[in-house]
């Protein structure tokens, strides 16, 4: 059997692709590749539209079976190849997209599955959703990423053991430590002078679907020292200007823009928000012209009617090829961890991860506890995309004695394993999950977790290995649907239940070590029976044999 594998993100681009929608598919492919290599020959491709069919023809001439496994969402998988194609995908909503938009039939996943004739999902939840749309007889396999063997080394060091009292991580990147920020709600106040200051027109940037995050104005990232030490005291403010008519109009405009942004903008359809942005820019330019805000253009020097005759210059030398500057390495950072350590790995732009509830519940529960730490490993290349939001949230929660530590860095395998070893509990507060690889990886190494028991997590989360968060259904949109129409369901978490999970887990870590070890052992046993290579290999073997017999 020949397996052709594809993922949009490859080995050479993974460290530059943090936070992208298909970021985790690379790790899923990497996990499956080892198991598939035991069932046949594995070939990786980068351009399936041109590479797959020639490989398929070669296999057919040799009389060998061949299948193309695309580790991508169905709407991004080829449907017109000669080679048998199977989409290997994760999905976390209550139904699959079954409508066409943008003149692309692949947006109706039923069309893709009908062309392929079968599918592989990463959870039994997703398999049920596919069968509801395609019929109970449609061949779909629910097989998780086989991670168990991958973490054998880390498990031998950290599994079924109490977390260490103190740990040290060495990494390259930026570390944001709440203990060093001097957090205060007073830092959220923006001091604005009118009319001299050029105020930013908030209407000019409509929100990304489905909902925007607030964009405050703390200290810019580039002004922070490498270790994000406390900010210097602000300079004395200039005297406030006289409250003339222009000043009062400017203040009124500022308050109207703030009200629109905070109370109304995210309720508008995307097309209407864009229309308001365009009209807002036009109206703003007209109003500024009427009020005399526009700066006069500097007078341009008049050129002579005929330019003077210049002497002939010698021919220019051949251009020298520019040498690209060497990339600046990330700064080195040392992170000291102690006490009860909670860890979560997520993309801050992914609204499903619900990290606001995670942080607010943590800071409220442990506001008077100084040995509880929440580590947020952010999968995002650009720190500025979430830095202001993070600092604003922490400032709103201040003061608190617990510690929130944000790691903006790409962790290599040894450093990642050290983070697992230093962790007491992994935390997941997602509204829905297609698989959640980090959660499974920490459980493979014997770490109990705080998580809901919904969507894909229902396959491996139970109350013997986890502090289960309560949840209930709510309406939502398909994340790949630009129309933002409410067509599906996801889960809303009970915030008080998150606080209770924090309290119970902290008490067990501090007072009931035997209970902690029992949860650690059960977490490993649960993942071994669910995601070991032997289990997944037999699932794949049976699936492809049945498909071959059907043909």
């Amino acid at each position: 059997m020949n397996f052709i594998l594809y993922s949009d993100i490859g080995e050479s681009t993974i460290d530059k692709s943090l936070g992208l929608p298909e970021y985790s598919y690379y790790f899923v492919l990497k996990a499956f590749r080892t198991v598939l290599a035991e069932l046949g020959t594995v070939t990786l491709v980068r351009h399936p539209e041109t590479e797959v069919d020639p490989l398929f023809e070669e296999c057919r001439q040799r009389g060998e079976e061949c299948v193309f496994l695309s580790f991508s969402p169905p709407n991004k998988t080829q449907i017109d190849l000669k080679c048998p194609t199977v989409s290997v995908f994760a999905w976390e909503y209550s139904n699959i997209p079954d409508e066409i938009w943008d003149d692309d039939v692949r947006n109706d996943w039923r069309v893709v599955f009908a062309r392929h004739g079968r599918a592989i999902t990463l959870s039994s939840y997703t398999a049920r959703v596919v069968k509801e749309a395609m019929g109970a007889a449609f061949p779909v396999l629910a097989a998780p990423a086989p991670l168990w063997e991958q973490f054998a080394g880390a498990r031998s060091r950290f599994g079924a053991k109490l977390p260490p009292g103190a740990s040290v991580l060495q990494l390259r990147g930026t570390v944001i430590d709440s203990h060093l920020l001097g957090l205060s709600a007073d830092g959220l106040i923006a001091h604005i002078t009118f009319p001299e200051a050029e105020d930013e027109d908030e209407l000019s940037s409509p929100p990304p679907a489905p909902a925007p995050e607030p964009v405050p104005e703390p200290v810019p990232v580039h002004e922070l020292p490498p270790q994000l030490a406390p900010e210097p005291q602000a300079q004395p403010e200039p005297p406030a200007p006289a409250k003339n008519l222009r000043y009062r109009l400017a203040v009124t405009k500022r308050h109207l823009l703030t009200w629109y942004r905070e109370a109304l903008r995210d309720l508008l359809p995307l097309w209407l928000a864009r229309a308001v942005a365009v009209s807002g820019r036009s109206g703003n330019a007209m109003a500024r012209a009427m009020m005399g805000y526009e700066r006069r253009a500097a007078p341009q020097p008049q050129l002579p009617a005929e330019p003077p005759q210049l002497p002939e210059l010698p021919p220019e030398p051949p251009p020298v090829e520019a040498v690209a500057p060497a990339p600046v390495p990330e700064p080195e950072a040392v992170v000291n961890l102690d006490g009860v350590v909670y860890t979560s790995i997520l993309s801050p732009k992914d609204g499903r991860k619900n990290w606001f509830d995670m942080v607010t519940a943590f800071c409220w529960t442990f506001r008077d506890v100084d040995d509880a730490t929440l580590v947020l490993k952010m999968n995002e290349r650009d720190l500025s995309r979430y830095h202001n939001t993070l600092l604003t949230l922490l400032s709103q929660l201040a003061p608190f004695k617990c510690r929130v530590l944000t790691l903006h860095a790409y962790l290599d395998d040894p450093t990642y394993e050290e983070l697992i070893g230093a962790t007491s509990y992994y935390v997941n507060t997602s509204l829905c999950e297609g698989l959640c690889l980090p959660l499974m990886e920490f459980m493979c190494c014997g770490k109990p977790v705080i998580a809901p028991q919904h969507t894909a997590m229902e396959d491996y989360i139970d109350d013997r290995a986890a502090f289960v968060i309560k949840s209930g259904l709510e309406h939502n949109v398909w994340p790949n649907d630009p129309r933002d129409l409410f067509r599906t369901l996801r889960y809303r978490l009970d915030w008080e239940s998150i606080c209770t999970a924090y309290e119970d887990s902290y008490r067990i870590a501090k007072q009931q070590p035997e209970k902690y070890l029992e949860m650690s052992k059960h977490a490993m046993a649960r993942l071994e029976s669910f995601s070991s290579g032997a289990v997944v290999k037999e699932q794949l073997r049976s699936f492809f044999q049945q498909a071959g017999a059907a043909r």
Side-chain angles (χ1 to χ4, degrees):
M1 187 73 174
N2 292 273
F3 300 99
I4 304 173
L5 310 186
Y6 166 75
S7 172
D8 188 47
I9 296 174
E11 184 79 34
S12 61
T13 59
I14 185 60
D15 59 336
K16 301 177 183 178
S17 306
L18 291 170
L20 294 181
E22 277 73 54
Y23 172 76
S24 61
Y25 276 106
Y26 163 77
F27 296 99
V28 175
L29 182 151
K30 186 177 178 181
F32 271 95
R33 180 180 180 180
T34 303
V35 172
L36 291 170
E38 298 177 9
L39 297 175
T41 303
V42 173
T43 304
L44 298 180
V45 297
R46 294 298 304 141
H47 305 285
E49 62 278 2
T50 58
E51 297 180 56
V52 171
D53 279 347
L55 292 172
F56 170 67
E57 291 295 342
E58 293 177 6
C59 292
R60 188 162 62 175
Q61 291 176 5
R62 296 194 302 265
E64 300 174 356
E65 289 189 83
C66 182
V67 62
F68 171 47
L69 301 182
S70 177
F71 290 79
S72 310
N75 56 294
K76 295 186 177 181
T77 300
Q78 299 290 323
I79 59 175
D80 53 0
L81 299 175
K82 297 179 182 178
C83 181
T85 303
V86 180
S87 178
V88 184
F89 68 102
W91 186 246
E92 54 270 30
Y93 296 92
S94 64
N95 56 354
I96 62 172
D98 54 5
E99 301 175 9
I100 297 176
W101 59 83
D102 293 341
D103 297 326
D104 188 349
V105 296
R106 292 185 299 175
N107 287 325
D108 184 343
W109 288 14
R110 297 173 303 176
V111 174
V112 179
F113 295 145
R115 296 279 186 90
H116 293 167
R118 49 187 168 165
I120 297 177
T121 72
L122 304 181
S123 72
S124 58
Y125 174 85
T126 310
R128 291 198 306 269
V129 169
V130 172
K131 284 183 174 292
E132 288 174 1
M134 301 300 296
F138 184 77
V140 53
L141 170 66
L147 301 173
W148 176 253
E149 289 79 7
Q150 181 180 339
F151 289 89
R155 185 166 51 253
S156 64
R157 289 186 290 155
F158 311 127
K161 297 178 181 178
L162 294 175
S167 302
V168 178
L169 297 181
Q170 294 184 341
L171 52 88
R172 284 191 173 274
T174 301
V175 178
I176 304 175
D177 190 341
S178 64
H179 279 182
L180 304 178
L181 292 177
L183 296 170
S184 171
D186 293 337
L188 299 176
I189 302 175
H191 300 284
I192 305 170
T193 57
F194 299 100
E196 291 84 358
E198 287 288 339
D199 57 301
E200 179 183 357
D201 187 359
E202 297 288 347
L203 286 172
S204 64
S205 56
E213 293 183 348
V215 183
E217 300 179 358
V219 180
V221 177
H222 63 272
E223 295 183 9
L224 292 173
Q227 300 303 323
L228 296 174
E231 300 173 11
Q233 296 184 353
Q235 298 296 325
E237 300 177 16
K243 296 184 178 180
N244 53 27
L245 177 61
R246 294 169 66 183
Y247 175 88
R248 295 177 189 276
L249 289 175
V251 171
T252 301
K253 174 189 172 184
R254 171 64 60 174
H255 286 299
L256 286 174
L257 290 175
T258 302
W259 170 82
Y260 168 77
R261 182 189 66 185
E262 299 292 343
L264 184 62
R265 188 172 66 176
D266 60 330
L267 300 177
L268 300 178
L270 187 58
W271 66 268
L272 182 55
R274 288 174 175 166
V276 171
V278 173
S279 60
R281 285 193 295 268
S282 302
N284 181 59
M286 182 180 299
R288 294 182 67 85
M290 294 175 63
M291 293 300 298
Y293 282 103
E294 300 299 327
R295 295 185 175 90
R296 296 180 180 177
Q300 299 293 328
Q302 295 185 354
L303 300 176
E306 295 185 4
Q309 298 293 327
L310 298 177
E312 293 186 3
L313 299 177
E316 296 183 0
V320 179
E321 294 185 2
V323 179
V328 179
E330 292 284 348
E332 293 185 357
V334 177
V335 179
N336 295 293
L337 296 173
D338 54 20
V340 182
V341 178
Y342 298 83
T343 298
S344 190
I345 300 172
L346 53 92
S347 170
K349 297 186 299 181
D350 189 345
R352 299 169 303 172
K353 297 303 180 180
N354 190 34
W355 61 281
F356 270 44
D357 278 358
M358 180 192 302
V359 174
T360 56
F362 178 84
C363 291
W364 177 258
T365 303
F366 299 123
R367 60 193 181 279
D368 296 321
V369 179
D370 56 9
D371 68 340
T373 299
L374 175 62
V375 178
L376 299 175
K377 165 60 180 75
M378 296 297 199
N379 288 337
E380 169 57 54
R381 289 191 63 197
D382 188 352
L383 177 58
S384 66
R385 288 182 176 269
Y386 67 89
H387 174 267
N388 288 349
T389 302
L390 174 67
L391 293 191
T392 299
L393 178 62
L394 295 178
S395 298
Q396 291 173 314
L397 293 165
F400 50 83
K401 293 183 180 180
C402 56
R403 183 186 186 195
V404 179
L405 198 64
T406 304
L407 307 183
H408 180 80
Y410 177 76
L411 305 183
D412 55 22
D413 290 344
T415 307
Y416 183 61
E417 292 184 0
E418 290 300 323
L419 175 60
I420 294 177
T423 297
S424 306
Y425 298 98
Y426 188 87
V427 186
N428 178 297
T429 56
S430 293
L431 306 176
C432 50
E433 282 287 0
L435 185 62
C436 195
L437 289 175
L439 176 58
M440 294 174 58
E441 291 165 352
F442 276 68
M443 291 182 69
C444 281
C445 298
K447 299 300 176 179
V449 301
I450 296 174
Q453 193 179 19
H454 60 52
T455 54
M457 293 181 288
E458 68 184 21
D459 283 337
Y460 55 92
I461 292 294
D462 59 40
D463 56 8
R464 293 181 59 192
F467 299 88
V468 179
I469 301 171
K470 298 177 182 178
S471 61
L473 288 169
E474 67 175 0
H475 277 95
N476 200 245
V477 303
W478 293 317
N480 59 316
D481 185 356
R483 305 169 301 172
D484 289 339
L485 301 179
F486 286 90
R487 293 288 190 266
T488 190
L489 299 174
R490 67 178 184 187
Y491 286 82
R492 174 182 294 177
L493 302 192
D494 182 333
W495 186 85
E496 185 178 5
S497 179
I498 305 175
C499 296
T500 301
Y502 279 132
E503 292 173 352
D504 294 343
S505 62
Y506 180 85
R507 184 183 66 255
I508 287 178
K510 300 290 287 188
Q511 302 175 8
Q512 298 177 260
E514 68 286 350
K515 175 64 174 177
Y516 182 91
L517 291 176
E518 181 184 336
M519 296 183 71
S520 173
K521 293 175 182 178
H522 183 71
M524 291 189 293
R526 195 81 174 88
L527 265 293
E528 181 179 14
S529 63
F530 175 62
S531 67
S532 69
V535 171
V536 176
K537 181 172 71 174
E538 289 307 312
Q539 290 176 320
L540 292 170
R541 187 199 307 275
S542 176
F543 179 72
F544 289 117
Q545 285 179 347
Q546 291 176 2
R551 289 197 302 271

